[in-house]
Amino acid sequence: MRKLITLILMMAVTALHVNAQLFSVTGIITDKQNQSLPGANVVLLNPTDSALLKGSVTDTTGFFEIARVASGKYILKISFIGFRDKYLNKEITGQSLTLGKIILQEKATTLNEADVTGQVLPAQMKGDTTQYNADAFKTNKDATSEDLVTKMPGITVQDGKVQAQGEDVKKVTVDGRPFFGDDPNAVLKNLPAEVIDKIQVFDKKSDQSQFTGFDDGNSSKTINIVTKPQFRNGTFGKIYGGYGTDDKWKGGFNLNFFKDKRRISLLANTNNINEQNFSAEDLLGVIGTSGGGNRGQGQRGGFGGPPGQGGRGGRQGGQDNGASNFLVDQKNGITTTHAFGINYADKWGNLDFTGSYFFNYTENNAQSDLFRTYVTQQNAGFTYNEKSKVESKNINHRANLKFELKIDSLNSILFQPKFSAQINDGSSLLYGENRLQDNVVSSTSNDYSSNLTGINFSAPILYRHSFLKKGRSFSLNLTPGYNQNKGISYLNSYTDYYDTLSTDTLNQLANLNAKGNVLSSNATYTEPINDKSQLMFTYTNNYNSSNSSKETYNFSPTEENYNAFDTTLSNKFNSNYFANSVGTAYQYQKLKLNLTLGIAYQNAQLKSTQDFPYQADVNKIFNSWLPNAMLMYKISMQKNLRINYRSNNNAPSVTQLQNVINNSNPLQLTTGNPDLQQDWQNNLNIRYSVVNTAKSTSFFTFGGITYTNNYIANSVYYATSDTMIAPEVILSAGSQITRPVNLDGYLNARLFSTYSLPIKKIKCNLNLNLGGSYSRTPGLINYETNYANSTAVSGGLALTSNISDKVDFTISSNTTYNNIANTLQTASNSSSYVNYNSRFKIQVMPYKGLVLQSDITHQFYNGLSDGYNQNYFLWNAGIGYKFMKNKVAELRLTVFDILKQNNSITRNTTETYYEDVQSNVLQRYFMLTFTYNLKFFKGVNSK
């Protein structure tokens, strides 16, 4: 600690010394209407030969700063598209230069009685960023950001997930600033399309990587929305309310107050028609308590879960009290939502602040039928049927803050605390049967309820310092964190074992408690070798301490109380993981080439202690070499190639390590494994982009492959006779137990390509896509190794209108072929199925304020289990009328599921089984909705 304080003091002294010699040039660029001009280029030129010396780009408020400038005479050049270049002669003499407001003049061209129309370029390549021009994609006046971006090549929104160029979008920012944390939907569903100027798609590096210039692998696919300058000062949003048949209702508002650097947004939403406005981050506590397993293994650790949830392989709209109940759309279950959020952003001097708070309350009712086929060598034809009904309530509070303080031109601090708290109440009724060759082997009836809470807090802080020498820098990142999940659950079950003519009755209470402390840090130093290359040295440590306990009590009929302590289903477990790594990397940069090669050595220690029901200690040491490489080659202004390789380790969680049996479904027990080791994962990604601005075409292809040794897989044992699996614990015939194990050979590969071109004759854009994936997942089934090989091929197209804002339609179709083959019982445990998904969506305004809308989706499955194949249409339609001045109000009658065919089915696969799940859904209802649009912008004639 003393050395660290000394180092910081030395850097502070250095900063003061440097500031005495170097200065900065600052100012604000606007047009004559006083609107800021973000993205304007500001450069300093040598007055003798006009050579470029230094440069900067204005931010969203038009502000620019050119730092570390020596005393002397300069020419300041300012340029912006559509405006005249401006030249200023300036001299720096012993102090920084503050220029204040600089006004640019628009380029004026006068034509007598002539209309000049130019084609707006749909897309451009800017380095590793793909930029779309919003004006090249026509939408109706009331369209949202989601309506706009889904017209753009390679961007889709399905089941609440936003994807760009084949990858999940993790963040959506507005003018480079966060909007409700990292929730993409909060932006896309609430920001109107008409305020958008450009959409930028890129891989956002971590804050530390952006500073050092070295890619640390912690990038996330990001969409940045650049707003039009004229819409950055004003108030806009909408207020709406509707009521329909079968007591269906919705209401809410989104209001945005923008004024220069200050931005305030308010959101509210209440409905019982499955419209939700939150992300998975709203369910941190619920996810932590419900388990859900590692890649479908269904591990619930000490927290248990509703019966029958022994690893559902990522299925949607599940039947437990976990996250799956709340991440639903109109296909899965019935959900009532009440949500409110506020987002605030401002800048005061050198401090840039963004903060948001979000509240969400949901009630979900989910009913499902499940048919599962197991992959077994000894017992071919072993299946599981389940019917369940679940009711769940979830309350969530989430807060995100971001403070960015620029101390001076060389030093800055970034502080980003995050907090979330959840309360989840749920109950479930379940009936399940194990069958062998259509004969019932065992059955269970369960009644389960729980009350669970979760808290998650982290406070990352990053200090950054630039030295006088270009390319030399130091940064220090500290991330403390805390999480706690606790609650109580009740289980009442009755189980029949037909082979042994025995029964088992359970009436239990379980107290659940898990908490953890996290502290990670990273120190990075960069040193230039020459003007094209530099070195980076890093030291990283990660400390994670977790404690988990489960206390189970059986009901005593004589005392009518839960006071009989069950030692076989109780456990106290502690886990400590501490990893240290040192690494170095070399980076070479030229005009078109950026190459990085690096390697790190990591020493990790995993200590775990079980205090109950018996004493057990585990102490493991892991040593790993972790190489990484990145190549980015700018083939031309239109073509870009990026190749990224990275290796890393993932330590097992306390849930996976905890050796306690979860009997929430007596037919499907789960437990942990204290002997687990960390895995070793290798990732290779390749991305190639081509944008032809002359032809307005674009092509993107993405390929990725992941190979993992010591993969944390499932080991499943199916008991053909009563089997002792632990002291005083018997696995009855017809039941199974699942535990995690380390296995080599996990492989996942995927490819996605999209091509976009305009069809000028009909004023439309055509997007074509082709994709494929292959995965090999290892597992143990009754101690025999099985590899589940899954192959999928998909192709589709989307035709989007670009006619006018009065005609907006999209025609899309996608076909996916899936095949699953297992190395055990290959003849009977392989399956394939096909899914066809087509959609036609249109909205037209044929006369004055009249609005006609229709949306038809066709789903067809072939190859699922008997009784699950389906072929149905979901048809929604509406008619509306816009009125009042500027058509700001609308009254609309909509019909959901006109044909009353809406349905939901999901195929899930794991290394030990595949299953088909059918859930309850919303069906036909009518709703009358009133919407009032608020639009008032300074300098824009709209209200």
Side-chain angles (χ1 to χ4, degrees):
M1 180 61 70
R2 183 180 299 172
K3 292 181 178 180
L4 177 61
I5 295 174
T6 303
L7 178 60
I8 294 175
L9 290 175
M10 290 176 63
M11 289 188 295
V13 173
T14 302
L16 292 173
H17 177 65
V18 170
N19 285 336
Q21 304 174 56
L22 297 177
F23 310 96
S24 62
V25 180
T26 59
I28 299 175
I29 310 300
T30 70
D31 60 12
K32 62 182 180 180
Q33 282 81 32
N34 200 32
Q35 298 294 323
S36 59
L37 299 178
N41 290 311
V42 185
V43 296
L44 287 176
L45 306 177
N46 191 319
T48 58
D49 57 6
S50 296
L52 175 63
L53 300 176
K54 276 181 170 293
S56 179
V57 177
T58 56
D59 63 13
T60 57
T61 63
F63 176 81
F64 74 88
E65 179 180 19
I66 304 176
R68 295 188 296 175
V69 181
S71 297
K73 294 182 179 181
Y74 300 94
I75 297 176
L76 186 72
K77 178 186 176 182
I78 305 136
S79 57
F80 189 74
I81 297 175
F83 290 78
R84 295 177 181 175
D85 292 345
K86 190 159 191 171
Y87 296 87
L88 300 173
N89 292 311
K90 296 296 177 181
E91 183 177 3
I92 298 177
T93 56
Q95 63 181 2
S96 294
L97 196 60
T98 303
L99 301 177
K101 188 178 297 182
I102 301 173
I103 299 175
L104 297 187
Q105 299 295 324
E106 294 187 55
K107 293 180 180 178
T109 303
T110 303
L111 298 176
N112 293 327
E113 297 183 1
D115 292 329
V116 180
T117 59
Q119 182 181 5
V120 180
L121 299 178
Q124 296 171 286
M125 288 295 299
K126 293 183 175 293
D128 203 26
T129 298
T130 305
Q131 179 170 287
Y132 300 98
N133 293 310
D135 290 340
F137 303 89
K138 300 290 191 239
T139 58
N140 64 76
K141 291 184 178 181
D142 297 331
T144 65
S145 301
E146 182 178 47
D147 298 324
L148 176 64
V149 300
T150 51
K151 284 177 171 283
M152 298 174 176
I155 302 179
T156 60
V157 179
Q158 186 173 1
D159 295 336
K161 293 183 178 180
V162 186
Q163 284 197 334
Q165 301 167 6
E167 300 177 80
D168 289 340
V169 173
K170 303 298 183 183
K171 298 180 180 179
V172 176
T173 57
V174 178
D175 293 324
R177 307 176 81 175
F179 191 95
F180 282 99
D182 296 333
D183 188 350
N185 292 310
V187 186
L188 298 182
K189 292 183 181 298
N190 293 285
L191 193 69
E194 71 171 312
V195 307
I196 299 176
D197 184 25
K198 295 177 178 62
I199 296 291
Q200 298 170 335
V201 180
F202 61 99
D203 290 309
K204 183 178 176 61
K205 299 178 182 178
S206 67
D207 295 301
Q208 201 161 16
S209 291
Q210 293 179 57
F211 175 69
T212 62
F214 281 83
D215 191 347
D216 62 5
N218 296 319
S219 61
S220 54
K221 182 64 71 175
T222 301
I223 292 178
N224 180 48
I225 297 176
V226 181
T227 59
K228 296 176 180 177
Q230 65 267 32
F231 290 105
R232 291 175 187 159
N233 283 279
T235 301
F236 62 93
K238 66 178 179 180
I239 303 172
Y240 61 92
Y243 187 77
T245 57
D246 300 324
D247 197 30
K248 295 293 186 292
W249 46 265
K250 71 174 182 178
F253 61 82
N254 71 75
L255 301 173
N256 301 272
F257 307 91
F258 284 16
K259 184 178 182 181
D260 299 325
K261 302 172 186 177
R262 187 185 67 207
R263 298 188 174 189
I264 303 174
S265 298
L266 300 174
L267 305 177
N269 179 20
T270 178
N271 71 88
N272 63 351
I273 56 173
N274 285 11
E275 291 184 356
Q276 300 183 42
N277 192 26
F278 60 96
S279 68
E281 191 175 342
D282 289 298
L283 304 169
L284 288 172
V286 179
I287 292 173
T289 56
S290 68
N294 177 64
R295 304 177 179 93
Q297 71 186 30
Q299 293 298 316
R300 298 187 180 276
F303 283 87
Q309 301 304 302
R312 292 263 167 107
R315 51 168 291 206
Q316 303 261 337
Q319 287 76 25
D320 59 18
N321 297 325
S324 56
N325 273 345
F326 309 100
L327 297 177
V328 298
D329 60 2
Q330 60 189 19
K331 295 180 181 179
N332 303 291
I334 311 298
T335 302
T336 299
T337 301
H338 308 287
F340 172 78
I342 180 171
N343 188 79
Y344 181 85
D346 207 345
K347 188 172 183 179
W348 307 283
N350 293 332
L351 178 62
D352 196 339
F353 171 78
T354 304
S356 65
Y357 165 75
F358 203 93
F359 167 80
N360 192 282
Y361 173 83
T362 55
E363 295 182 7
N364 177 261
N365 182 299
Q367 302 177 31
S368 72
D369 293 330
L370 177 149
F371 181 77
R372 179 182 300 173
T373 301
Y374 288 102
V375 181
T376 61
Q377 182 68 31
Q378 297 93 341
N379 299 325
F382 188 41
T383 61
Y384 174 72
N385 294 307
E386 178 186 288
K387 292 182 179 293
S388 66
K389 179 180 179 180
V390 175
E391 295 181 354
S392 301
K393 297 179 181 179
N394 186 76
I395 298 174
N396 173 268
H397 303 270
R398 172 164 55 97
N400 295 272
L401 303 175
K402 181 179 180 180
F403 303 85
E404 187 165 9
L405 175 63
K406 193 168 186 180
I407 301 172
D408 52 40
S409 60
L410 300 177
N411 299 277
S412 65
I413 293 176
L414 181 63
F415 182 46
Q416 302 181 82
K418 299 179 180 180
F419 174 80
S420 66
Q422 298 86 20
I423 300 174
N424 175 253
D425 292 319
S427 62
S428 67
L429 297 174
L430 176 149
Y431 177 77
E433 287 184 345
N434 277 329
R435 290 176 173 263
L436 183 61
Q437 302 294 348
D438 293 329
N439 295 318
V440 179
V441 178
S442 54
S443 64
T444 185
S445 298
N446 294 332
D447 184 353
Y448 180 91
S449 63
S450 64
N451 182 289
L452 309 171
T453 62
I455 295 175
N456 199 305
F457 172 77
S458 66
I461 183 168
L462 172 63
Y463 169 74
R464 298 170 291 195
H465 173 74
S466 296
F467 291 89
L468 174 62
K469 187 175 182 179
K470 182 181 179 181
R472 179 183 292 171
S473 68
F474 172 79
S475 59
L476 178 63
N477 190 1
L478 297 174
T479 305
Y482 174 78
N483 59 81
Q484 183 178 34
N485 302 301
K486 62 181 181 179
I488 189 171
S489 65
Y490 295 90
L491 172 64
N492 197 328
S493 71
Y494 180 83
T495 306
D496 269 323
Y497 302 97
Y498 296 96
D499 287 349
T500 59
L501 300 178
S502 61
T503 61
D504 186 17
T505 302
L506 295 175
N507 189 354
Q508 296 176 337
L509 174 150
N511 289 314
L512 321 162
N513 192 5
K515 58 183 178 181
N517 295 286
V518 178
L519 178 61
S520 62
S521 64
N522 178 281
T524 301
Y525 175 80
T526 62
E527 179 66 27
I529 300 175
N530 51 45
D531 59 345
K532 296 180 182 178
S533 58
Q534 64 182 138
L535 290 172
M536 179 178 69
F537 303 94
T538 61
Y539 168 72
T540 303
N541 69 51
N542 184 11
Y543 175 73
N544 191 328
S545 176
S546 302
N547 302 288
S548 182
S549 67
K550 178 182 180 181
E551 297 176 349
T552 303
Y553 297 88
N554 292 308
F555 184 78
S556 174
T558 57
E559 300 185 20
E560 297 185 350
N561 197 0
Y562 293 95
N563 57 8
F565 187 62
D566 192 331
T567 59
T568 61
L569 299 175
S570 301
N571 185 276
K572 290 185 179 180
F573 188 83
N574 302 317
S575 174
N576 291 281
Y577 179 80
F578 185 66
N580 289 276
S581 68
V582 292
T584 184
Y586 168 80
Q587 180 173 265
Y588 176 82
Q589 288 181 302
K590 208 175 178 180
L591 291 177
K592 295 184 177 181
L593 179 67
N594 188 332
L595 174 66
T596 302
L597 300 172
I599 191 168
Y601 174 77
Q602 178 178 280
N603 173 268
Q605 187 173 16
L606 176 63
K607 290 184 178 182
S608 60
T609 302
Q610 181 172 280
D611 298 324
F612 189 84
Y614 56 87
Q615 186 70 29
D617 296 327
V618 175
N619 192 347
K620 297 179 181 294
I621 297 177
F622 310 106
N623 295 295
S624 306
W625 289 98
L626 303 173
N628 63 84
M630 190 275 292
L631 171 68
M632 188 169 66
Y633 183 61
K634 190 175 182 180
I635 302 171
S636 67
M637 293 294 292
Q638 300 175 339
K639 300 178 181 179
N640 187 287
L641 174 67
R642 181 185 175 97
I643 303 174
N644 192 20
Y645 164 75
R646 190 158 299 275
S647 60
N648 61 282
N649 297 127
N650 295 295
S653 68
V654 66
T655 300
Q656 295 164 338
L657 292 168
Q658 189 175 16
N659 191 20
V660 59
I661 293 176
N662 173 13
N663 68 331
S664 56
N665 184 341
L667 299 183
Q668 299 174 348
L669 306 180
T670 62
T671 185
N673 180 3
D675 294 325
L676 286 177
Q677 300 183 19
Q678 65 178 7
D679 68 12
W680 184 45
Q681 191 176 95
N682 295 268
N683 300 280
L684 176 65
N685 296 317
I686 302 175
R687 185 183 300 110
Y688 176 67
S689 308
V690 181
V691 175
N692 190 326
T693 54
K695 297 182 179 180
S696 298
T697 62
S698 61
F699 173 76
F700 304 98
T701 185
F702 169 83
I705 185 169
T706 299
Y707 181 80
T708 306
N709 277 334
N710 274 339
Y711 173 79
I712 301 178
N714 287 327
S715 174
V716 181
Y717 180 79
Y718 305 101
T720 56
S721 60
D722 291 353
T723 306
M724 184 76 69
I725 58 174
E728 302 181 19
V729 179
I730 295 178
L731 183 65
S732 300
S735 300
Q736 68 180 62
I737 185 167
T738 302
R739 71 195 298 261
V741 294
N742 290 111
L743 294 175
D744 290 340
Y746 172 83
L747 178 67
N748 183 282
R750 56 190 295 262
L751 177 68
F752 176 83
S753 300
T754 178
Y755 178 71
S756 174
L757 71 158
I759 303 179
K760 298 180 181 178
K761 291 184 178 180
I762 58 175
K763 294 183 179 181
C764 292
N765 295 317
L766 178 63
N767 299 326
L768 306 172
N769 65 79
L770 181 66
S773 65
Y774 169 78
S775 66
R776 183 182 68 185
T777 307
L780 289 180
I781 302 175
N782 284 24
Y783 309 114
E784 292 189 79
T785 302
N786 176 63
Y787 288 94
N789 299 292
S790 177
T791 305
V793 179
S794 64
L797 59 85
L799 185 69
T800 60
S801 66
N802 208 19
I803 301 171
S804 72
D805 57 0
K806 297 183 181 298
V807 178
D808 187 5
F809 69 82
T810 299
I811 304 173
S812 63
S813 181
N814 197 77
T815 301
T816 304
Y817 170 79
N818 296 269
N819 181 71
I820 301 97
N822 295 281
T823 56
L824 288 179
Q825 287 288 337
T826 56
S828 60
N829 285 307
S830 298
S831 67
S832 61
Y833 69 98
V834 179
N835 172 234
Y836 304 94
N837 184 315
S838 300
R839 185 180 185 185
F840 174 64
K841 180 181 179 181
I842 186 171
Q843 177 168 306
V844 295
M845 290 180 279
Y847 178 75
K848 293 185 177 180
L850 183 64
V851 180
L852 302 176
Q853 177 189 10
S854 185
D855 185 349
I856 303 176
T857 300
H858 176 225
Q859 285 273 11
F860 175 71
Y861 287 89
N862 184 40
L864 301 183
S865 305
D866 293 340
Y868 283 86
N869 289 325
Q870 60 178 346
N871 179 13
Y872 74 90
F873 287 88
L874 175 61
W875 182 16
N876 308 321
I879 181 171
Y881 180 71
K882 294 180 178 293
F883 56 98
M884 297 181 66
K885 185 177 180 181
N886 296 323
K887 307 297 183 183
V888 296
E890 181 189 82
L891 195 63
R892 182 175 298 198
L893 177 66
T894 57
V895 188
F896 176 82
D897 189 19
I898 295 176
L899 303 178
K900 206 173 183 180
Q901 294 184 8
N902 191 24
N903 211 334
S904 170
I905 189 169
T906 307
R907 163 62 65 92
N908 304 299
T909 63
T910 73
E911 62 271 38
T912 57
Y913 63 80
Y914 61 88
E915 67 181 10
D916 296 319
V917 185
Q918 191 160 9
S919 306
N920 63 322
V921 293
L922 282 174
Q923 288 194 322
R924 185 169 57 207
Y925 65 87
F926 294 76
M927 179 169 286
L928 184 65
T929 306
F930 172 77
T931 303
Y932 181 82
N933 292 283
L934 179 66
K935 300 177 184 178
F936 181 78
F937 297 96
K938 183 179 179 181
V940 179
N941 187 23
S942 62
K943 205 170 187 179

